[in-house]
Amino acid sequence: MSDLSTRSEKIRDYIDNTISETNEIYNKGIENLQSKEERAQELLELISRDSISGSYQQSAAEEKKTADWLRALSLGFMVFMTIIMAVSLWDSVSPDFNWQSAMFRVAIVMILSIPAAYLAKESSKHRELQNSHHRVSLELKSVDPYLSSLPNDKRVLIKEKLAERIFMGGDAKETRRDQTPINTHEIVTSLIKKLDSEKS
């Protein structure tokens, strides 16, 4: 009986040790899985952030191309208008000056001012979109280095606000009224108002 009792104690100790080791291995495996899951989550967040940031960069590059192209067209119209006006001024000092020809050139300049102003306004809109996309891309890239020194709760709060502003349209500016004149009459009126404000 004493021998059986000793053997049963040894068996019980062996089973307890085996269960303890098994629990320890299990807990280490759970911790390892949790750390790998956290790392995978961080990598996924990093990849998605870089992907979104790259998309904004690409959009900014496309907006820049459109803005540059529209600005070049607007400048082309303005150069053409300047040439017509210079020719008209040159003809005005000649002895055989023709009023009808001069008025026709002035009318052409006034007509050309409409697409020139419109293209300049559209170029400005695309330039604003380009700057907005660049800003969002920069914020997405710099948010993690900036938040690394902050406590976890503040990090989560700032990320939530940033995500809400970017993805829920909080970053979109209200559509403001365009101040760019669209025709010659509005251009002249704007210039007169500006001169009056400067005098006062």
Side-chain angles (χ1 to χ4, degrees):
M1 289 295 294
S2 175
D3 187 43
L4 285 174
S5 176
T6 303
R7 287 185 179 183
S8 65
E9 286 292 332
K10 287 181 179 179
I11 291 171
R12 187 178 300 120
D13 289 341
Y14 176 76
I15 291 171
D16 288 342
N17 288 335
T18 304
I19 291 173
S20 177
E21 288 175 2
T22 305
N23 286 335
E24 188 176 348
I25 292 170
Y26 175 76
N27 290 331
K28 284 182 180 178
I30 292 293
E31 289 176 3
N32 191 18
L33 283 175
Q34 286 176 345
S35 66
K36 286 183 178 179
E37 184 181 359
E38 289 174 2
R39 180 60 182 158
Q41 187 69 28
E42 290 174 2
L43 287 173
L44 182 62
E45 185 179 343
L46 183 65
I47 291 168
S48 63
R49 188 195 66 211
D50 288 345
S51 174
I52 295 169
S53 175
S55 176
Y56 273 102
Q57 278 186 336
Q58 185 178 358
S59 297
E62 291 174 1
E63 294 294 341
K64 181 181 184 304
K65 287 180 184 177
T66 306
D68 290 343
W69 183 71
L70 291 171
R71 183 175 59 182
L73 280 177
S74 177
L75 286 174
F77 275 105
M78 290 179 186
V79 167
F80 192 48
M81 289 161 52
T82 304
I83 291 171
I84 293 173
M85 288 302 294
V87 170
S88 297
L89 289 173
W90 180 262
D91 285 347
S92 67
V93 297
S94 66
D96 54 346
F97 177 67
N98 186 354
W99 279 102
Q100 291 180 343
S101 177
M103 293 303 293
F104 178 71
R105 288 175 185 157
V106 169
I108 290 176
V109 168
M110 294 176 95
I111 292 170
L112 289 177
S113 70
I114 296 172
Y118 176 76
L119 290 170
K121 181 171 66 172
E122 290 299 310
S123 175
S124 176
K125 287 180 182 177
H126 286 282
R127 192 72 64 195
E128 286 180 4
L129 284 173
Q130 175 200 347
N131 293 334
S132 175
H133 292 329
H134 270 307
R135 187 177 65 253
V136 171
S137 175
L138 180 63
E139 287 176 354
L140 288 171
K141 282 186 174 180
S142 62
V143 66
D144 281 339
Y146 170 72
L147 297 177
S148 60
S149 61
L150 296 177
N152 192 36
D153 55 343
K154 287 189 177 180
R155 271 189 272 175
V156 171
L157 182 64
I158 292 174
K159 281 187 177 182
E160 285 177 358
K161 288 183 178 178
L162 180 63
E164 182 180 351
R165 190 159 53 85
I166 292 173
F167 300 114
M168 302 299 180
D171 188 52
K173 298 178 180 176
E174 293 182 3
T175 307
R176 62 179 188 178
R177 184 175 172 271
D178 293 319
Q179 300 295 327
T180 309
I182 195 60
N183 58 36
T184 308
H185 178 264
E186 291 180 11
I187 293 172
V188 173
T189 306
S190 299
L191 287 173
I192 291 171
K193 285 180 182 177
K194 187 172 182 181
L195 290 172
D196 288 341
S197 64
E198 287 177 359
K199 286 180 183 177
S200 61

